[in-house]
Amino acid sequence: MSGICGWVGPSGSDAKAVLAAMSRRFAWSRPEVRMALVGERSGLAAVGAEGTVALAEHGPIRVAVHGHPSLRSGACEIDAWCRQIAATYLERGAGVLDDIEGDFALAIVDERDGRAALAIDRIGIRNIVYQNCGPMLVFGATCDVVAAHPRARSTVDPQALYDYVYFHMVPGPQTVYREHAR
């Protein structure tokens, strides 16, 4: 398994250790790329095969991507694509998401205001799950990755479980976790 993970909110003094614990939950057995960025208001990691994950920083904007994304204007190598998204986000904000195609999971974090934009491809080939943990948003490719964060709670909401079995998904804005279902 591969993907992206991280959080937006106060990082704390053990941020690198927490990010390492989260990214270890990816049970990747082939040669892998492991990358991490830790800032004052965020932590991002990407784990996967070379050419399928990237991290970029452009001023206060940090981007993590997993998959095979492209822009309507054309495809390019994933590291260059990731840098381009970070730069374009400064100009257009979340509007940059309108031009992304392909299969991907993407996290864009703005360190200026501690905001994040999380997105997946339109078909849902890649995953992102999340949990609101007080002043922090924790996200990852699976619930197991999110649960590795010390502020995350893992009590499953019975209604969410029913929804998952019946609908094959948990309708938003609910999450599978009881503490954060609305």
Side-chain angles (χ1 to χ4, degrees):
M1 178 181 59
S2 55
I4 60 173
C5 63
W7 68 85
V8 179
S11 294
S13 60
D14 59 349
K16 288 183 181 179
V18 170
L19 202 52
M22 290 177 74
S23 58
R24 274 195 301 274
R25 296 286 178 108
F26 292 110
W28 189 252
S29 59
R30 293 182 278 172
E32 64 187 30
V33 176
R34 288 185 179 262
M35 299 178 264
L37 286 172
V38 176
E40 289 182 31
R41 295 184 178 191
S42 67
L44 290 172
V47 177
E50 188 159 343
T52 65
V53 293
L55 287 176
E57 213 172 354
H58 187 82
I61 307 302
R62 295 160 183 247
V63 177
V65 65
H66 172 237
H68 304 94
S70 63
L71 291 170
R72 289 189 185 147
S73 58
C76 63
E77 184 263 333
I78 194 164
D79 289 317
W81 183 92
C82 196
R83 288 189 301 271
Q84 182 179 357
I85 291 298
T88 306
Y89 185 85
L90 271 175
E91 299 168 16
R92 294 183 49 204
V96 71
L97 299 174
D98 296 337
D99 296 331
I100 301 174
E101 298 177 338
D103 67 288
F104 64 90
L106 172 71
I108 303 172
V109 175
D110 189 336
E111 281 279 319
R112 295 173 295 191
D113 58 8
R115 294 180 144 229
L118 304 175
I120 60 169
D121 56 271
R122 288 165 178 82
I123 297 175
I125 294 171
R126 309 291 173 176
N127 296 325
I128 293 182
V129 296
Y130 66 90
Q131 186 179 119
N132 291 314
C133 303
M136 181 177 283
L137 176 73
V138 179
F139 60 89
T142 66
C143 294
D144 187 43
V145 172
V146 171
H149 194 284
R151 289 199 182 176
R153 302 292 175 256
S154 57
T155 306
V156 174
D157 179 13
Q159 181 62 47
L161 183 59
Y162 173 82
D163 290 343
Y164 183 78
V165 170
Y166 189 79
F167 299 115
H168 303 282
M169 65 167 202
V170 179
Q174 265 89 350
T175 71
V176 72
Y177 300 108
R178 173 180 285 162
E179 292 86 356
H180 304 288
R182 294 181 190 153

